[in-house]
Amino acid sequence: MAKDSYLVGLIGSGIGPSLSPALHEREADRQGLRYVYRLIDIDVLGVPPETVGDLLRAARDLGFDGLNITHPCKQHVIGHLDALAPQAEALGAVNTVVFDADGRTTGHNTDVTGFAASFARGLPDAPLERIVQLGAGGAGAAVAHATLNLGAGRVTVVDAVPERAADLAASLNLHFGDGRAAHATTDRLPRLLTAADGLVHATPTGMAAHPGLPLPVELLHGGLWVAEVVYRPLETELLRAARALGCTTLDGGGMAVFQAADAFQLFTGREPDAARMLADITDLARAVGAPK
């Protein structure tokens, strides 16, 4: 028989402002489920991301049904799982862990499908020949896979750690074919963005806990579309600056909703209503930004 009660959570850093608990719990309420979503913030606990395995085992022992995993634990968690779904294995990053009845753990990645669905909905006619992506971490791997799956000609990955960008580009070329991905250092951004169709931002910069811009604003121009992964806040400094220059933009809310909907289905086996959840995130973000 299908369960009607679930305990899930989110492991990550600086996740206090996360809208995931409300997104999941609102949809569960509409489906008549008892559903509790807890935040497990490594900053609050005072532990490094390498301890994610201990947190995973504690959650299993406490009867959790599943966990979402976010920055900076998406790659650290892999070595502590019993199995990986094909998408997560290809990416080398996990954002959703499901516990089965015997306590075995399977890692999934719903960021890929989440970003792809959001992009197709919000930027359906965007040119995809030349894309520059900032960030080569767990979220970066997911969105790069998503954009190449959507038909991008070439994705150039730029990261503050050059070796990480090189590793991701090599993995993408192995998966999608030679020449589909490249890597570059930050000093090449001016030339790359001048010729690019779009910019995908996949670093934590701009999050409530990591405010600021991920690149000099003068590198943006009106011929770019700009897609953001950060969703808290929905309007980041990057998106404000891009819109002021006439760029077409995509906020991170759609990705947050579609990846959450996919995770909800993995946790419960029930089909969520993504349209209702899209309305939820707008409502929740507005409430968070309202004056107290």
Side-chain angles (χ1 to χ4, degrees):
M1 294 179 62
K3 291 177 55 170
D4 61 5
S5 178
Y6 296 87
L7 174 61
V8 300
L10 171 66
I11 296 177
S13 168
I15 55 176
S18 176
L19 300 182
S20 290
L23 271 177
H24 280 251
E25 289 176 354
R26 281 190 176 198
E27 180 59 20
D29 286 346
R30 288 188 290 254
Q31 298 207 21
L33 301 176
R34 296 178 62 196
Y35 195 102
V36 176
Y37 193 113
R38 298 300 191 199
L39 295 179
I40 305 169
D41 194 321
I42 62 172
D43 295 347
V44 173
L45 294 173
V47 297
E50 290 79 8
T51 62
V52 66
D54 295 330
L55 298 176
L56 190 74
R57 287 184 286 275
R60 179 197 61 201
D61 294 343
L62 289 169
F64 277 65
D65 296 288
L67 294 166
N68 285 136
I69 310 292
T70 192
H71 173 81
C73 301
K74 292 182 179 182
Q75 292 158 322
H76 288 293
V77 75
I78 290 176
H80 304 283
L81 300 174
D82 296 307
L84 287 175
Q87 185 75 81
E89 186 170 17
L91 286 173
V94 163
N95 81 324
T96 303
V97 175
V98 177
F99 298 96
D100 70 14
D102 297 319
R104 284 180 53 82
T105 52
T106 301
H108 301 262
N109 195 299
T110 67
D111 284 333
V112 179
T113 51
F115 185 81
S118 177
F119 195 97
R121 175 181 174 274
L123 294 174
D125 301 316
L128 293 169
E129 187 56 35
R130 297 175 302 276
I131 296 174
V132 175
Q133 177 178 302
L134 294 180
V143 298
H145 272 252
T147 51
L148 287 167
N149 280 331
L150 287 166
R154 184 179 177 92
V155 175
T156 301
V157 182
V158 179
D159 193 272
V161 182
E163 295 79 11
R164 189 161 59 179
D167 288 345
L168 176 55
S171 173
L172 292 168
N173 282 324
L174 186 64
H175 192 80
F176 291 97
D178 288 341
R180 298 293 302 282
H183 62 94
T185 50
T186 54
D187 61 299
R188 289 186 55 202
L189 275 174
R191 179 175 294 183
L192 288 169
L193 288 172
T194 297
D197 295 311
L199 170 67
V200 177
H201 174 234
T203 84
T205 303
M207 290 172 60
H210 305 278
L213 281 163
L215 79 174
V217 69
E218 57 268 22
L219 299 186
L220 301 174
H221 58 85
L224 283 172
W225 53 259
V226 178
E228 177 69 271
V229 169
V230 172
Y231 78 92
R232 53 183 201 276
L234 278 180
E235 185 179 67
T236 60
E237 291 184 50
L238 173 63
L239 291 185
R240 278 198 299 274
R243 289 192 191 111
L245 291 168
C247 301
T248 304
T249 62
L250 178 69
D251 66 45
M255 178 182 177
V257 164
F258 287 112
Q259 67 83 16
D262 289 345
F264 183 94
Q265 185 171 35
L266 286 168
F267 292 149
T268 67
R270 297 169 186 255
E271 185 72 35
D273 188 324
R276 292 188 305 203
M277 294 176 74
L278 284 165
D280 285 338
I281 201 165
T282 302
D283 179 52
L284 290 164
R286 187 183 299 118
V288 168
K292 299 291 186 286

